[in-house]
Amino acid sequence: MSFRTSPGPPASPPSATDYVEDFSPGSGALPPRAWYPASDARSLSLNGSWNFRLSPTADAEDDSFAAEGYEAGGWAEVRVPGHWVLQGHGAPIYTNHLYPFPVDPPRVPTENPTGDHLRPFDLPSDWPADGGTVLRFDGVESCARVWLNGTDLGEFKGSRLPHEFAVGHLLRPGGNVLAVRVHQWSAGSYLEDQDQWWLPGIFRDVTLLHRPAGSALDFFVHASYDHREGLGTVRVDSDVDGRVLVPALDIDVAAGTAVTVPVLPWTAETPRLYDGELVTEGERVPLRIGFRTVALEDGLIKVNGRAVLFKGVNRHEWHPEKGRALDPETMLADVLLMKRHNINAVRTSHYPPHPAFLDLCDEYGLWVIDECDLETHGFTEQAWRDNPVDDARWTPALLDRAARMVERDKNHPSVVIWSLGNEAGTGRGLTAMAEWIRGRDDSRLIHYEGDIDCRDTDVYSRMYAPHAEVERIGRRLDGGGRRRRELPFILCEYGHAMGNGPGGIADYQALFTSYDRVQGGFIWEWIDHGVQDERYGFAYGGDFGEELHDGNFVCDGLLFPDRTPSPGLVEYKKVIEPVRIDGGASSAASEEGRALGSDGTVRVTNGYDFADLSALAFEWSYQVDGEAVESGPLPVPALAAGESADVKLPTPPADPRGAESWWTIRAVLAEETAWGQRGHVVAWTQLAVTEPVSPRLTPTGAPVPGGRVITLGPGTFDARTGALLTIGGVEVTGPRLDVWRAPTDNDNGASWQPDARLGTLWRKLGLHRMRHRLDGVEPGDSALTVRTRVAPAAWELGLRTVYRWTSDGTRLRLTVSVTPEGDWTLPLPRLGVRLGLTGSADRVTWFGGGPGEGYPDTKSASWIGRWESTVDEMQTPYVRPQENGARPDVRWARIGGLRIEGDPSFWFTARRWTTEQLDAADHLPDLRPGDTVWVNLDHGQQGIGSQSCGPGALPPYQLRAEPSEFSFVFSEIHD
């Protein structure tokens, strides 16, 4: 099926490049059809090294390079698949939604980098002479014209969609030359404003496919499941006669014949596929059939009769060196990481992915919202005036894009929803797309976030709705028309994973599980789009001299560019884990010394939508002061989806010391699976048995003046300032009150929310340049008291701060009392003390939250235990440096010859640079380690939130300026 239109009136006499600014999707390509990885028909990959010439404009060179006999002497070489700007020819450009060229549709700039590509090739000696051959392009950005052996085949737009040309009549045994001219900018660029790097090139596979006489042209696998009867019905419609074979089901029928048999259904949790074949006169096509039925029932998205809860991510295709030219290993790595982190769904933002990725989703089990290659976000700058989706001249191009997505991907059971695109406003073109898709495939639902009235869609979808609004939607109190109120709701984007964060996702998940209508969401996004760069480590917007860019907004993923999981992904895994293990009404210690109730039980709940718990094994361990003293298996029945059971724990061992004790219970894979090793942790919980033990210190001595110093126990202090100098043999700088942190991307907020950009407001208030006024140094009978006022210049606000030091002869206790003065309307970034340690402060041991970082609204994955690390390993390498590395709920820490105990527990951070140096850095190489390790001991931290493109920290996680008192006990370690 193909949709074509004539170009609009040219602004100048016709030229050989008018197709670049043509409204139409192109000409010469074959109708779209189903994609499949291989059949018994021959194929020849044309990937590899191609000759390449870059021109500054679309018409700088004529098309003589495509003529037979052309000599490409002196041309460069590029990899295909690949982007020429990542191979030394030009530079990438990043914008979020602004078009990097004047908005004058369908016109594009004269400065239009154009890459001419040549690929000589010979056919294999046994290439069949019968039938035809198809030349297939799986992805070219943004517009291409194609010649084979001097013959013009046509041109196309639709960068992330397949295009095929009939070429059998042009091929010869040897000396073939494929010529492709690729333009960076075209009319199609207006439809591809998708918050990513603009990267021209042939970035997906190029393949010759032999099409024997009688081979399959197109086919559609219809495979539904009746959950009431346990029966599957399969029908394979084919453009040519053939038979459908499914040996495991004893099926051997003519194509087009429906067969109903008992089957095991396909779900993302139980991805059962049946291998089959479509056998035609000239070809045997492999089939991987998954039986499942998608329906909108009772106002819910249901698969096989059950409502599903999406625990998803938005996935751009990305590799830090290859851009969007992904190899099979990288695609598999993505799927395995998703499965291992409890992710069950992918929205293919904002275009259909490489088709092999969907094969992996079928095989390993992921729900997929397949999104069309469409976004016109830049038209928001002109209030959507001239938006292509409401301009009939563009409708054929939109329909072509919809058809190429649906026809290519229609046989994937993982695809349960078609998405019309993203952030393209509304208009008649989207309605036409929805109508065409429904007419072609009524077995899936339709999604589009911008359709606020749900005129064309089956799902009410929003981005970044605040928690309170999500709750109103869940309660159906959000207003809107009747149709919308009766539809299910998803957050197609939430939890903006930019830099340190996202925060508040556990609070979202609580809403998802509380209201049936709210069927989950998709974190934005999967991976940081940092470009590998020898100057910066990973480059982002502006690092390539772009005149217009959106900085590091392109680095907003749960993975770092090298696919290392960020703390955000570890947090998300915990938040969405499919098994809940609760300790009863309270996790605080009861009078009986346990948090489990008098019968010592835990409640285990199966949170899967379909699977039982037979694939999991449960185990317990009992920790005392962070170290396991006993462990063993925990018998848990193979609960069906949604079921719960109370399970009794063993009797805990007696502890005469009164130390802090915990139960830790884990659900792990009982056996190796396709995506995880035996013992892989799927879910876990910790339950407190006893309360944390606060450090105790009874003052036994008085401060002793001695010239320029004062001695108190193991500590020496500057007699004039009261500043601590040493603890035993350990030199110390500070400690003194600290309220500043290097703002996170979420602190800095979104550019379109200036009144909520905490980082900017903090700087305006001067929290990054606080001044410390000494009001008094007061040696007393049992304490040394230092009185100060900490305040920024130019404001009347201040923090009256008193440091009170006491000692029992071997240890020092610091009690910090803080009293705000003035009208503090902003939350504080942090509240605690900072000190510096010189010398061998390298290794850190602590008892508290770990192993990774955690903040008030991002510490669900923080595991209370005893941990060890180097200072360098405690740093989280966010692409743009910012506040990171805090370990929460720390009882005590050992570093640089000191033991530090907290009362109450505290956040612990250690780094080889100051907060100010961290704040000033733009890239990781800007951070140069010094001779001092700077340690923050924080009583409080401001929550993280998601305000780089969503809501800020919720009120419970905001650090308000209010009277506070906290203590630390310091002692020298004598190993």
Side-chain angles (χ1 to χ4, degrees), residues 94 195-197 316-318 320 324 351 524-525 527-531 539-540 554-557 559 561:
Y94 168 62
D195 185 12
Q196 58 182 333
W197 293 98
H316 266 303
E317 295 180 306
W318 186 251
R324 287 188 286 279
Y351 43 82
W524 184 269
E525 64 163 301
I527 188 169
D528 287 343
H529 300 198
V531 176
Y540 49 77
V554 75
C555 294
D556 48 9
L559 295 179

Side-chain angles (χ1 to χ4, degrees), residues 363-419:
E363 179 178 354
Y364 289 90
L366 289 166
W367 308 116
V368 174
I369 297 181
D370 199 356
E371 193 148 271
C372 194
D373 190 12
L374 173 62
E375 181 170 337
T376 64
H377 199 172
F379 284 89
T380 57
E381 297 301 309
Q382 52 201 62
W384 296 108
R385 187 175 62 257
D386 299 327
N387 184 15
V389 304
D390 199 29
D391 183 335
R393 295 174 296 175
W394 293 90
T395 299
L398 303 184
L399 289 171
D400 182 75
R401 289 173 183 245
R404 291 189 181 278
M405 172 183 69
V406 171
E407 300 295 3
R408 192 196 76 169
D409 298 341
K410 59 182 177 281
N411 295 325
H412 289 283
S414 58
V415 177
V416 292
I417 297 176
W418 300 117
S419 179

